[in-house]
Amino acid sequence: MKSLEELKAIREKMKRQMDVRESDENTIRVLVGMATCGIAAGARPVLSAFLDEVDRRGLTNVSVSQTGCIGVCRLEPVAEVFVPGEEKVTYVHLTPDKVPAIVEQHLVNHNVVTDYTIGAAE
Amino acid sequence: MKELSLHLLDVAKNSVTAGARHVDISLEEDPQGWLTVSIRDDGRGMAPEFLARVTDPFTTTRTTRKVGLGLPLYRLTAEQTGGSLDIRSQVGRGTTVTARFQRRHLDCPPLGDLPGTVAMLIQGSPDIEFTYRHTTPNGAVELSTAELRDILGEDVSLAEPEIFAWIQDYLTEQEEQAAVDIDPAAMIEGEIT
């Protein structure tokens, strides 16, 4: 059973991690569109997959957050990836099974997964 | 929207957009199959004239387009089960959206992933105080971000992936204990009201 005691242990572990975290300007940001259009198209499991994968890999230089409608409802679920010093990349028609490849290839190894980008879809 | 929890996520996000500092989410299931879902916030609220047309699909606060489908679809879903949608709001005080669903109605969508929905709301707005309560004839599930923050302190954000995972798993365990199975033999058919 999950307990609040377990949460205390997580807190202690995370505090230790924070001491070695990179500064904010080096943080890679992932924004998932979570407006009505995104939610209806399946953005919730996509966001969950990003959070799970970042947690599983222990990526302390990645922040995953939510945003409203990105403006291309027909291409939802949509996520934008901002790597410092690089151009923004928009991934479209996402499903949870596409997320591990984006995390591994783009967030970790800095190779855009071209097949899933808005450029490939349009 | 194939799950009630997706509607819940969508409507509660309106509270976030409205600048709420506190959002209370409550689900109450009674033994007759009625489910009451209430989302109460202390956001900016709505003027009476906007409130009067807020479930019109051609009403939205967005400036980029002229349709807003979240509340109209939510109302339709509630009414399809013989239930209703009620919205109370006051400018500067906040908004309460209350929907009633008959879970035994054939047109009632499943509850879906409530733990994932609540965890996601908290992860997306870690500075907002959320309370969540789901009561059923079999038990109750409760979560308060104020309590979590007391444990985590100011340094550890509720947006952290590991905290998200813990909240999701914690609620999943609680929900499994309180869950109510809908007997297919007791399902109700009915016309759209």
Side-chain angles (χ1 to χ4, degrees):
Chain A
M1 289 288 286
K2 292 279 166 192
S3 70
L4 295 177
E5 286 303 314
E6 193 179 348
L7 201 57
K8 286 179 189 168
I10 293 173
R11 176 193 64 189
E12 295 310 317
K13 189 179 112 188
M14 295 197 75
K15 277 187 172 176
R16 288 195 296 276
Q17 283 177 351
M18 277 169 190
D19 295 337
V20 296
R21 272 198 180 179
E22 295 188 40
S23 57
D24 281 351
E25 62 262 28
N26 292 325
T27 298
I28 296 170
R29 292 189 302 128
V30 178
L31 279 179
V32 180
M34 291 290 288
T36 304
C37 48
I39 292 168
R44 187 180 61 184
V46 168
L47 175 63
S48 187
F50 270 112
L51 289 163
D52 291 346
E53 193 64 15
V54 167
D55 184 30
R56 195 179 67 79
R57 289 175 167 270
L59 302 177
T60 55
N61 65 328
V62 176
S63 86
V64 180
S65 47
Q66 304 168 31
T67 188
C69 178
I70 291 169
V72 282
C73 305
R74 68 191 183 284
L75 301 177
E76 293 281 359
V78 173
E80 294 179 322
V81 173
F82 300 84
V83 177
E86 297 177 16
E87 206 170 331
K88 174 186 81 174
V89 175
T90 303
Y91 290 106
V92 301
H93 289 318
L94 287 175
T95 51
D97 61 299
K98 292 177 178 173
V99 169
I102 294 170
V103 173
E104 181 187 345
Q105 293 177 41
H106 192 171
L107 307 190
V108 176
N109 293 317
H110 295 253
N111 295 316
V112 175
V113 187
T114 312
D115 288 352
Y116 302 159
T117 60
I118 193 168
E122 291 281 79
Chain B
M1 300 279 187
K2 294 174 182 168
E3 301 173 3
L4 291 180
S5 61
L6 290 175
H7 284 288
L8 175 60
L9 178 60
D10 189 36
V11 175
K13 280 206 158 283
N14 293 341
S15 298
V16 173
T17 310
R21 304 309 310 150
H22 298 81
V23 180
D24 299 324
I25 299 166
S26 148
L27 289 84
E28 289 179 39
E29 295 184 64
D30 71 15
Q32 286 72 46
W34 284 103
L35 165 68
T36 305
V37 181
S38 174
I39 301 164
R40 187 179 68 190
D41 71 53
D42 60 355
R44 69 177 68 93
M46 292 177 273
E49 55 272 23
F50 189 82
L51 182 60
R53 52 191 169 87
V54 76
T55 57
D56 176 341
F58 297 100
T59 295
T60 181
T61 53
R62 283 196 210 168
T63 53
T64 51
R65 70 189 53 132
K66 293 178 177 167
V67 293
L69 297 177
L71 283 170
L73 290 174
Y74 194 43
R75 185 178 78 174
L76 182 68
T77 304
E79 291 179 350
Q80 277 178 337
T81 72
S84 58
L85 178 71
D86 178 65
I87 305 173
R88 309 275 165 104
S89 190
Q90 268 187 287
V91 173
R93 298 288 297 276
T95 301
T96 301
V97 179
T98 305
R100 267 169 61 79
F101 304 88
Q102 174 49 258
R103 288 200 64 203
R104 293 177 190 165
H105 197 287
L106 283 173
D107 289 328
C108 190
L111 281 175
D113 183 8
L114 285 170
T117 289
V118 175
M120 210 157 275
L121 280 166
I122 294 169
Q123 193 275 338
S125 307
D127 297 326
I128 292 179
E129 200 166 295
F130 286 95
T131 64
Y132 171 70
R133 182 173 172 81
H134 181 190
T135 57
T136 77
N138 294 339
V141 181
E142 285 185 282
L143 186 83
S144 154
T145 54
E147 192 180 356
L148 301 185
R149 210 166 274 121
D150 281 347
I151 293 169
L152 294 170
E154 294 300 317
D155 297 336
V156 178
S157 169
L158 292 169
E160 294 288 346
E162 196 165 354
I163 304 298
F164 166 81
W166 184 88
I167 293 172
Q168 195 173 25
D169 291 347
Y170 177 78
L171 287 176
T172 298
E173 286 180 357
Q174 309 289 320
E175 289 286 353
E176 280 170 0
Q177 291 184 7
V180 174
D181 291 328
I182 302 295
D183 178 4
M187 296 299 277
I188 304 164
E189 280 187 77
E191 293 179 359
I192 297 172
T193 52

